[in-house]
C-alpha cells in the first residue's frame, strides 16, 4: 500500500492521500494526487 502524507515540521498530519497499490512509485503517486503541481504553484521546489 502506498499512502502519501504531508506533515508540518512538528510531525502533525496535514493531508493524507487515498491508498494506491504498493508497487506505485512515490513520485507517480504524488503526481496522481496533485502534490507536485500544488507544490510548484506554491513556489516550493
Amino acid at each position: 500500500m502506498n499512502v502519501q502524507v504531508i506533515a508540518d515540521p512538528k510531525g502533525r498530519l496535514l493531508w493524507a492521500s487515498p491508498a494506491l497499490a504498493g508497487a506505485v512509485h512515490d513520485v507517480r503517486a504524488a503526481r496522481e494526487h496533485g502534490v507536485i503541481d500544488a507544490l510548484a504553484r506554491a513556489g516550493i521546489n
Side-chain angles (χ1 to χ4, degrees):
M1 179 179 296
N2 184 325
V3 177
Q4 302 292 294
V5 299
I6 298 175
D8 70 9
K10 292 185 177 186
R12 293 178 292 209
L13 180 66
L14 301 175
W15 176 83
S17 73
L20 295 173
V24 175
H25 191 278
D26 290 343
V27 173
R28 178 178 161 205
R31 285 187 183 123
E32 286 188 23
H33 294 301
V35 174
I36 303 294
D37 291 336
L39 293 173
R41 283 191 305 272
I44 300 169
N45 296 326

